C-alpha cells in the first residue's frame, strides 16, 4: 500500500507542474489534452450536399473562430440553418498506443461530425458536451481532417438561437483504463455532528484483457483514503462507491458568504503504474427544504437573484471568462445569491465562478413552453440531456437543484382549468422520477406558469417537487397567494418576475407597480426569494422585440450599460436582505 500511495503522490506532484496535464505513467508522461480551438474553415450553406462537403477545397472557405457563433459576424448575422466547419490536425508522436477521443463542449443545436470523410455520429442538444472515441479511426502519423455540421434551425424560447461551435473542442488521450468521472457527495448531519461522504467512481477498460485496478484517493487537508481495488473486464465500464464519515467540527462548510472548497484527487493504477489522475473541487453543504422554507447548513435562508441570458453582441453565447466575471460580480453586488440564471445547462466557467464566489443555482434542461415537442412522457432525448447535465455538474456545490423544464402549460395557449395537458403532466411526472434516480442529494423542481389557475390539485405533479418555481408577469403577490392556497406546504420561488419590457438604457425604470410587488413578496414567509427577468437585454426575433433587435427586459442593456432600473433593484434587494 505504501508503494501505491507513493506512486500516487509522485503523479500528483508531476501533474501539478504541467499545464493541461492530469495523467501520467511511471514510465513516461505526455500532454493529455490538446486544444483544437482557434481558426477553422467555415461555410454557411443550406444547399450543399453533405457528401460534397467532405471533398471540397476548404482553403476556399471563409474562416471563423472556435469557440464562436457565426451570427456575431455581420455577413452571417441573419443566417439560419447549416454551418460547416473544417480543421486539420496531427497527433503527437507520444500518443501512439493511447485511447484518443474527440470532445466538444457544445454545438448548437444539431451537430454531425466526420473524421477523414467517415461519419462519426450526430448529437442533438446545443448546450451539453459530447465525444467520440476515434482511436481506431484516427491517422496516427498523417494529417487528419475534421468536418462538423452545426444546424441552428431549431430555436427555444425568446432568446437568439446563436449558431455554431459555441464551446471548446479538444483531443484527449488516455491509457486503456481511464476514470470516466468521480462524483463526491458530502452531506452534513447536524444532529450527529458528522459529515457523510460517498465517492462514486466510473471506470472504463478499453483494453483487450482483464485489468486489476487500484484507486488511491486523497482529499487535501482532510483525509487520505484506503485504496479501493477492483477488477474490470475488457470492454467493461464499472462503477464502484466508497463511504466514510468525518467530524463536522473538522470541516469548513460551503456557504454563499464563505464558499469553502475542497480538492479530491484520485489516481488510477494498474500493476503499480498510474493510468489516470482525476482532480475535482467540491464543497460540503446541505441545502434542503424544511416546511415552507429553504435551509442552508441548518439555517433558514431567503435569497434573491436575476436571470441572465447567455447573450452578447460580440460574443454570442460563447461566454468568455472576462464577461462571466464581470456579469456575475455585478449580479453578486446587487445582493443576489440564488437564481436559475438561464433555461439551459450553464457553461463550465459560470459553474466554477459560482462555486468559488458563493452563488446558488438551479440548473435546467432546455424544454420550454406549451409547444415544445420534447415535453412528452419518458422522452429518451430529455433523459439523455438530464443525465449528461447531472454527470457533468455533480461535483459543483453551487448547483442545489435540478429543473426539468420552463413554463409548461396548455398547448393551445388557453388558460383552462387544466394546468397541464396529459402529455405535459406525463413529461414532468416521468422526468422528476428520473432525476430522483440520478441524484438524491439535490432538490428538484419545474417551472410552472399555471400554478395559480383554478383546478383540482391533481392537475400538476406538485407533490414530487421539493419547491414550486413559478413565473409571474402579472400581479405577483396575488398570483403567489393563489399558488400557496392551491399547493400549501411547499416553498415558492418566483423564478421569473416581470411586468413588460423595461426599456432602453440609461433612463428606463422598473415602475412603481413592479417595485411594490417586489417589496410585498417579502412579507410572505413561504416565498423563498424572487428572480427578476432579466439582468441583460438580449438579441431576439421573438414577437414584441423592439426595432433594435434586442428585448429590453434587462436592468443593463446588451453591452451592460446600467439603467435606472438597476439601481432600483439594488435598493429593493438591500431591503430584502436587511429586513
Amino acid at each position: 500500500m505504501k508503494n501505491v500511495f507513493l506512486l500516487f503522490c509522485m503523479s500528483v506532484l508531476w501533474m501539478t507542474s504541467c499545464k493541461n496535464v492530469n495523467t501520467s505513467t511511471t514510465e513516461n508522461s505526455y500532454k493529455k489534452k490538446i486544444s483544437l480551438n482557434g481558426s477553422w474553415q467555415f461555410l454557411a450553406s443550406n444547399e450543399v450536399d453533405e457528401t460534397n462537403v467532405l471533398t471540397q477545397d476548404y482553403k476556399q472557405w471563409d474562416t471563423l473562430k472556435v469557440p464562436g457563433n457565426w451570427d456575431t459576424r455581420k455577413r452571417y448575422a441573419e443566417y439560419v440553418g447549416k454551418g460547416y466547419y473544417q480543421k486539420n490536425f496531427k497527433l503527437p508522436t507520444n500518443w501512439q498506443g493511447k485511447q484518443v477521443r474527440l470532445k466538444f463542449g457544445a454545438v448548437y443545436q444539431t451537430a454531425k461530425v466526420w473524421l477523414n470523410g467517415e461519419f462519426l455520429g450526430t448529437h442533438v442538444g446545443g448546450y451539453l458536451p459530447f465525444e467520440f472515441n476515434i482511436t481506431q479511426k484516427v491517422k496516427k502519423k498523417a494529417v487528419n481532417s475534421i468536418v462538423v455540421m452545426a444546424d441552428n434551425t431549431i430555436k427555444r424560447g425568446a432568446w437568439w438561437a446563436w449558431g455554431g461551435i459555441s464551446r471548446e473542442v479538444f483531443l484527449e488521450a488516455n491509457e486503456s483504463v481511464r476514470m470516466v468521472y468521480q462524483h463526491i457527495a458530502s452531506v452534513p448531519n447536524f444532529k450527529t455532528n458528522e459529515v457523510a461522504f460517498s465517492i462514486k467512481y466510473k471506470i472504463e477498460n478499453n483494453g483487450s484483457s482483464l485489468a486489476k485496478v487500484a484507486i488511491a484517493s486523497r482529499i487535501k487537508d482532510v483525509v487520505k483514503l484506503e485504496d479501493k481495488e477492483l477488477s474490470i473486464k475488457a470492454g467493461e465500464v464499472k462503477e464502484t462507491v466508497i463511504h466514510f464519515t468525518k467530524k463536522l467540527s473538522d470541516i469548513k462548510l460551503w456557504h454563499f458568504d464563505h464558499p469553502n472548497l475542497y480538492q479530491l484527487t484520485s489516481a488510477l493504477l494498474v500493476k503499480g503504474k498510474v493510468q489516470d489522475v482525476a482532480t475535482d473541487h467540491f464543497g460540503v453543504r446541505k441545502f434542503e427544504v424544511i416546511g415552507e422554507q429553504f435551509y442552508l447548513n441548518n439555517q433558514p435562508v431567503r435569497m434573491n437573484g436575476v436571470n441572465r441570458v447567455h447573450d452578447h453582441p460580440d460574443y454570442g453565447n460563447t461566454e468568455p471568462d472576462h464577461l462571466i466575471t464581470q456579469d456575475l460580480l455585478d449580479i453578486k453586488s446587487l445582493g443576489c445569491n440564488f437564481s436559475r440564471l438561464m433555461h439551459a445547462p450553464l457553461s463550465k466557467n459560470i459553474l466554477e465562478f459560482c462555486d468559488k464566489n458563493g452563488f446558488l443555482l438551479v440548473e435546467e434542461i432546455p424544454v420550454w413552453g406549451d409547444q415544445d415537442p420534447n415535453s412528452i412522457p419518458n422522452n429518451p432525448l430529455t433523459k439523455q440531456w438530464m443525465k449528461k447535465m447531472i454527470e457533468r455538474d455533480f461535483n459543483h456545490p453551487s448547483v442545489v437543484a435540478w429543473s426539468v423544464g420552463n413554463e409548461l402549460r396548455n398547448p393551445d395557449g388557453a388558460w383552462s382549468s387544466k394546468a397541464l395537458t396529459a402529455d405535459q403532466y406525463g413529461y414532468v411526472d416521468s422526468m422528476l422520477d428520473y432525476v430522483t434516480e440520478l441524484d438524491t442529494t439535490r432538490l428538484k423542481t419545474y417551472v410552472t406558469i399555471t400554478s395559480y389557475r383554478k383546478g383540482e390539485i391533481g392537475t400538476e405533479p406538485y407533490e414530487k417537487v421539493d419547491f414550486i418555481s413559478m413565473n409571474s408577469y402579472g400581479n405577483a403577490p396575488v398570483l403567489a397567494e393563489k399558488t400557496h392556497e392551491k399547493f400549501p406546504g411547499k416553498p415558492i420561488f418566483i423564478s421569473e418576475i416581470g411586468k413588460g419590457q423595461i426599456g432602453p438604457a440609461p433612463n428606463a425604470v422598473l415602475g412603481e407597480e413592479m417595485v411594490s410587488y417586489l417589496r410585498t413578496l417579502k412579507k410572505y414567509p413561504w416565498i423563498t426569494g424572487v428572480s427578476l427577468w432579466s439582468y441583460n437585454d438580449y438579441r431576439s426575433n421573438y414577437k414584441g422585440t423592439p426595432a433594435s433587435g434586442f428585448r429590453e427586459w434587462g436592468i443593463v442593456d446588451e453591452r451592460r450599460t446600467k439603467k435606472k432600473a438597476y439601481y432600483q433593484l439594488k435598493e429593493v434587494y438591500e431591503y430584502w436582505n436587511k429586513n
Side-chain angles (χ1 to χ4, degrees):
M1 289 296 182
K2 288 184 178 179
N3 289 337
V4 170
F5 186 59
L6 179 61
L7 288 169
F8 166 55
C9 293
M10 291 172 61
S11 70
V12 173
L13 289 171
W14 175 84
M15 174 190 67
T16 56
S17 68
C18 301
K19 188 177 181 180
N20 291 330
V21 181
N22 64 352
T23 191
S24 168
T25 70
T26 55
E27 295 178 348
N28 57 33
S29 62
Y30 57 93
K31 191 173 184 180
K32 179 178 179 180
K33 176 179 174 180
I34 295 178
S35 174
L36 295 179
N37 295 343
S39 181
W40 288 53
Q41 307 303 121
F42 178 75
L43 173 69
S45 176
N46 288 314
E47 310 299 328
V48 67
D49 183 273
E50 286 180 352
T51 57
N52 291 337
V53 169
L54 304 176
T55 58
Q56 290 200 14
D57 180 3
Y58 303 118
K59 293 181 180 179
Q60 301 301 311
W61 289 11
D62 199 356
T63 57
L64 275 186
K65 182 181 177 182
V66 171
N69 304 112
W70 65 65
D71 13 17
T72 59
R73 290 271 297 273
K74 185 175 181 180
R75 66 186 301 181
Y76 306 118
E78 304 297 329
Y79 178 73
V80 176
K82 297 178 179 180
Y84 294 88
Y85 292 78
Q86 189 276 336
K87 190 176 185 67
N88 294 331
F89 71 89
K90 286 188 71 174
L91 293 185
T93 55
N94 60 355
W95 277 23
Q96 304 299 318
K98 310 302 179 189
Q99 293 287 313
V100 181
R101 288 173 175 82
L102 172 61
K103 295 192 170 188
F104 296 84
V107 178
Y108 193 86
Q109 150 76 23
T110 300
K112 292 184 177 181
V113 184
W114 294 264
L115 176 66
N116 300 324
E118 182 176 352
F119 182 61
L120 296 180
T122 300
H123 181 264
V124 178
Y127 303 105
L128 285 165
F130 59 99
E131 65 181 63
F132 302 98
N133 188 327
I134 59 173
T135 306
Q136 303 304 319
K137 305 176 188 297
V138 69
K139 298 175 183 177
K140 303 303 190 292
K141 298 181 179 180
V143 174
N144 293 271
S145 171
I146 304 171
V147 174
V148 179
M149 185 280 291
D151 188 342
N152 74 333
T153 303
I154 296 174
K155 71 185 300 292
R156 283 183 166 79
W159 62 92
W160 188 260
W162 295 102
I165 304 176
S166 55
R167 294 178 188 164
E168 65 173 340
V169 186
F170 60 96
L171 298 167
E172 185 177 272
N174 299 99
E175 302 300 315
S176 295
V177 180
R178 68 159 181 154
M179 181 93 70
V180 180
Y181 62 68
Q182 55 178 1
H183 286 166
I184 181 163
S186 50
V187 182
N189 186 320
F190 297 98
K191 292 181 179 179
T192 64
N193 290 314
E194 290 184 323
V195 179
F197 290 85
S198 65
I199 307 175
K200 181 170 75 172
Y201 306 95
K202 186 174 182 178
I203 313 296
E204 182 178 36
N205 181 5
N206 294 118
S208 58
S209 60
L210 177 79
K212 293 184 178 181
V213 176
I215 306 171
S217 292
R218 176 176 178 264
I219 299 176
K220 187 178 180 182
D221 300 325
V222 176
V223 65
K224 184 268 171 185
L225 301 172
E226 288 293 324
D227 297 337
K228 177 75 173 182
E229 297 182 348
L230 65 156
S231 296
I232 308 178
K233 297 176 183 177
E236 184 180 15
V237 178
K238 181 176 282 189
E239 293 180 352
T240 187
V241 183
I242 61 172
H243 303 277
F244 59 97
T245 60
K246 298 293 292 183
K247 290 181 181 179
L248 184 57
S249 58
D250 293 337
I251 299 296
K252 295 180 180 179
L253 297 180
W254 188 96
H255 188 280
F256 52 75
D257 285 336
H258 40 78
N260 299 303
L261 293 175
Y262 288 98
Q263 178 177 293
L264 167 67
T265 303
S266 299
L268 199 63
L269 302 102
V270 175
K271 296 181 180 179
K273 296 180 181 178
V274 178
Q275 304 297 299
D276 203 354
V277 175
T279 298
D280 290 280
H281 293 88
F282 68 97
V284 180
R285 55 104 182 97
K286 188 172 188 178
F287 189 74
E288 61 186 327
V289 166
I290 301 177
E292 296 177 337
Q293 290 184 294
F294 284 156
Y295 277 69
L296 176 60
N297 298 335
N298 213 32
Q299 297 295 322
V301 289
R302 302 179 79 190
M303 302 167 293
N304 296 314
V306 292
N307 295 271
R308 175 188 175 274
V309 184
H310 49 216
D311 187 281
H312 190 281
D314 296 335
Y315 313 117
N317 70 350
T318 58
E319 306 284 47
D321 289 345
H322 71 273
L323 181 65
I324 293 301
T325 300
Q326 170 192 309
D327 284 1
L328 291 181
L329 283 177
D330 193 32
I331 288 171
K332 282 278 288 184
S333 75
L334 288 165
C336 299
N337 291 316
F338 180 67
S339 180
R340 184 181 41 159
L341 285 184
M342 188 59 191
H343 310 313
L346 302 168
S347 61
K348 289 196 301 182
N349 52 355
I350 288 181
L351 298 173
E352 289 167 359
F353 180 94
C354 292
D355 290 346
K356 293 174 183 177
N357 293 276
F359 194 96
L360 282 73
L361 298 166
V362 179
E363 273 210 283
E364 184 173 270
I365 58 172
V367 176
W368 185 86
D370 51 291
Q371 299 296 323
D372 196 310
N374 287 311
S375 58
I376 57 176
N378 296 303
N379 185 345
L381 182 60
T382 57
K383 285 186 174 183
Q384 179 192 84
W385 293 345
M386 185 62 71
K387 188 173 189 289
K388 279 188 177 182
M389 181 172 70
I390 290 176
E391 286 187 350
R392 186 195 68 167
D393 301 338
F394 189 90
N395 293 327
H396 291 283
S398 56
V399 180
V400 296
W402 308 113
S403 171
V404 305
N406 179 62
E407 293 188 358
L408 303 175
R409 61 182 180 182
N410 234 12
D412 60 5
W415 297 111
S416 73
S417 61
K418 279 282 187 181
L420 299 176
T421 67
D423 273 356
Q424 288 208 320
Y425 181 102
Y427 167 76
V428 174
D429 190 59
S430 62
M431 285 298 295
L432 291 173
D433 286 343
Y434 187 59
V435 172
T436 302
E437 292 178 27
L438 297 172
D439 184 9
T440 59
T441 69
R442 289 179 172 86
L443 306 183
K444 54 187 184 293
T445 190
Y446 69 96
V447 179
T448 172
I449 201 168
T450 49
S451 59
Y452 39 80
R453 296 287 162 179
K454 291 181 180 180
E456 296 299 321
I457 199 169
T459 56
E460 299 197 31
Y462 100 105
E463 70 281 356
K464 289 189 177 181
V465 301
D466 295 296
F467 63 98
I468 293 172
S469 299
M470 60 166 281
N471 292 350
S472 172
Y473 290 92
N475 188 322
V478 170
L479 299 179
E481 287 176 355
K482 290 182 177 180
T483 299
H484 180 61
E485 181 180 352
K486 185 176 177 183
F487 303 120
K490 297 275 187 181
I492 297 174
F493 175 57
I494 312 295
S495 42
E496 293 178 29
I497 187 169
K499 190 70 175 175
Q501 296 187 50
I502 294 170
N507 294 318
V509 298
L510 292 176
E512 293 182 8
E513 196 172 35
M514 175 54 60
V515 172
S516 174
Y517 291 165
L518 290 167
R519 285 180 171 268
T520 301
L521 288 166
K522 167 72 173 175
K523 300 176 183 178
Y524 304 140
W526 33 266
I527 293 288
T528 64
V530 299
S531 188
L532 185 79
W533 187 272
S534 60
Y535 172 68
N536 56 303
D537 292 350
Y538 51 97
R539 188 179 177 187
S540 178
N541 54 8
Y542 196 71
K543 60 184 179 181
T545 300
S548 65
F550 292 89
R551 290 178 73 77
E552 296 169 344
W553 290 89
I555 55 173
V556 302
D557 72 9
E558 66 276 8
R559 293 195 177 275
R560 281 44 178 181
T561 301
K562 292 179 173 64
K563 306 177 186 180
K564 289 183 178 179
Y566 175 96
Y567 302 100
Q568 288 177 288
L569 186 67
K570 187 177 181 69
E571 183 179 344
V572 169
Y573 283 172
E574 286 175 352
Y575 165 78
W576 269 75
N577 294 331
K578 289 179 180 178
N579 294 280

